[in-house]
Amino acid sequence: MARLLKGIFGPISGKLGPVIGSSWKGIAYLREVRPKKETKVPRTEAQIANEQKFKFVQNWLVPFHPYVTIGFSKKAIRKSEINVAFSANFHLAITGVYPNLDVDYSKVIISAGELPQLDQPAMELVLPDTLKITWQQNTDPGASFDDQLMLVLYCPELKMADGLTGGVKRKALTCSFQFDPLLIGKPLEVYIAVTSSDRKKIADSRYLGRMEP
């Protein structure tokens, strides 16, 4: 049975004849009730390749979820942050053709926004389990001293990410991060970004490169 939520011209909730009304994130929509097909149409090689690419990106992106949820919060309009991050990296960072798919880590995007980035960031492995990040004071008027650092370390071998999403301010000009012991001795792809203290603004992420053990 269908239900009109906002009067006769409002969105429909529930089943109404051949359609179903629902909403997601405040967006009302209708979808067709499709009858079950008795015979399956064989998929083409292109369809299979595209499906496998989707699965590849979905699985690869999982360790980044805690970071891209923050990093794409300003771009998630009528869709989730994960979906925005998926779309951005699907088109920019994934290389090859199924079954030989790979990731160009220099093109991976963790965040997107208008906040000024850190100025002249650099990284150094100071201990087997400690990465040090340094940067210069940013004189851009859009940068605030209490902007927060976001740091992401990703290990392709273990398909594992570690990092932080706050607690280190822009004015500190340095951050020493002790990462998970499982990552010791592994090559790490390193990314940084900056968010405002209230999370209302964020900078584009920056790839600092691969940190070799």
Side-chain angles (χ1 to χ4, degrees):
M1 184 177 80
R3 181 162 56 94
L4 295 176
L5 299 180
K6 296 181 180 178
I8 192 169
F9 297 113
I12 296 174
S13 175
K15 186 176 180 181
L16 180 62
V19 298
I20 294 176
S22 189
S23 64
W24 179 78
K25 296 189 78 169
I27 307 166
Y29 65 91
L30 296 174
R31 63 182 176 86
E32 180 183 4
V33 179
R34 297 182 180 180
K36 294 183 178 179
K37 295 182 179 179
E38 296 183 0
T39 58
K40 293 184 178 180
V41 178
R43 293 176 299 163
T44 65
E45 291 186 5
Q47 288 174 324
I48 294 173
N50 194 56
E51 180 182 280
Q52 292 302 318
K53 184 176 180 180
F54 266 75
K55 290 181 179 179
F56 176 86
V57 179
Q58 283 177 332
N59 293 334
W60 166 77
L61 192 62
V62 169
F64 293 95
H65 282 186
Y67 310 101
V68 299
T69 299
I70 296 172
F72 286 93
S73 60
K74 300 296 101 180
K75 301 294 182 179
I77 301 173
R78 299 201 169 200
K79 58 181 65 176
S80 73
E81 295 83 0
I82 302 300
N83 286 343
V84 179
F86 176 96
S87 179
N89 287 288
F90 183 92
H91 295 292
L92 291 177
I94 307 304
T95 63
V97 178
Y98 173 79
N100 300 309
L101 295 169
D102 205 350
V103 180
D104 183 345
Y105 288 99
S106 69
K107 295 181 180 180
V108 170
I109 303 174
I110 306 300
S111 67
E114 305 300 326
L115 195 66
Q117 297 177 329
L118 295 181
D119 188 26
Q120 302 179 52
M123 64 178 178
E124 179 186 4
L125 191 65
V126 293
L127 291 172
D129 66 345
T130 304
L131 181 67
K132 183 178 181 180
I133 307 292
T134 58
W135 58 92
Q136 301 298 313
Q137 187 63 52
N138 195 319
T139 58
D140 189 304
S144 175
F145 72 92
D146 62 351
D147 290 337
Q148 304 288 305
L149 173 68
M150 183 162 72
L151 172 66
V152 183
L153 287 66
Y154 178 72
C155 177
E157 180 182 337
L158 300 179
K159 296 179 173 59
M160 174 181 173
D162 195 9
L164 56 84
T165 57
V168 178
K169 295 182 179 182
R170 187 192 290 268
K171 69 176 182 180
L173 304 182
T174 184
C175 170
S176 291
F177 178 70
Q178 186 175 25
F179 49 81
D180 193 301
L182 292 175
L183 302 181
I184 295 175
K186 308 291 185 182
L188 303 173
E189 309 293 345
V190 183
Y191 305 87
I192 58 169
V194 194
T195 69
S196 59
S197 59
D198 59 7
R199 300 287 201 220
K200 291 184 177 180
K201 297 179 182 179
I202 192 160
D204 290 341
S205 60
R206 178 178 292 182
Y207 176 60
L208 291 190
R210 171 170 290 193
M211 176 58 67
E212 299 289 350

